[in-house]
Amino acid sequence: MTRFLVVRACGHIEFTFDEAFCAFAESKSSPHVASFVRTQFFRGANPSPDRIGQTLRRLEAVRADRFDALIDADDQRLRRELSFLVDRRNKIAHGQSETVRRRKALDLADVALELGDWIVAELDPR
């Protein structure tokens, strides 16, 4: 169950980011531009801190700066946890040995919810 939770938590961040970004594009641009943006997502890209930050930077530097500030706060707690989550998800997906216990999986799920909530609020399409 811990492995499943790690995979689902990472997938939650990945899907939430991709869907929120596309919903933002759909609400702020023409249907053709929104369609183009949607074709760039949902390819199974890891939701690493660098990928999220770089993608936000392409949209608007201020959003990327807010993301960097969020994940670098508290001695880079969220940056470390997100990187660890992505690393463990990849190890699980590729059949490699991983070391995630129940408590850590639950903590990573909390991180996924925290980041998902921030992403939805930041890319609110209204």
Side-chain angles (χ1 to χ4, degrees), residues 91-105:
K91 286 184 177 187
I92 291 166
H94 296 287
Q96 297 173 336
S97 178
E98 49 70 38
T99 55
V100 178
R101 301 290 178 242
R102 182 182 341 158
R103 177 75 259 151
K104 186 61 175 181

Side-chain angles (χ1 to χ4, degrees), residues 20-121:
F21 198 100
C22 291
F24 180 86
E26 288 167 356
S27 73
K28 304 293 183 188
S29 63
S30 73
H32 297 294
V33 170
S35 177
F36 173 76
V37 168
R38 192 164 280 281
T39 65
Q40 305 305 305
F41 288 87
F42 303 101
R43 297 181 178 184
N46 287 323
S48 68
D50 290 340
R51 177 194 171 236
I52 292 173
Q54 290 168 359
T55 304
L56 287 172
R57 194 158 303 283
R58 286 187 209 130
L59 177 65
E60 186 178 14
V62 172
R63 290 179 195 275
D65 292 343
R66 285 194 293 260
F67 175 72
D68 288 339
L70 172 74
I71 65 171
D72 288 339
D74 195 20
D75 197 27
Q76 297 186 329
R77 177 185 69 87
L78 288 176
R79 180 180 294 276
R80 282 192 321 273
E81 292 296 292
L82 179 55
S83 295
F84 183 80
L85 176 61
V86 169
D87 177 70
R88 289 311 182 258
R89 190 273 298 262
N90 288 341
K91 286 184 177 187
I92 291 166
H94 296 287
Q96 297 173 336
S97 178
E98 49 70 38
T99 55
V100 178
R101 301 290 178 242
R102 182 182 341 158
R103 177 75 259 151
K104 186 61 175 181
L106 291 169
D107 291 344
L108 292 173
D110 287 340
V111 166
L113 292 173
E114 182 179 350
L115 287 171
D117 289 348
W118 183 89
I119 289 165
V120 169

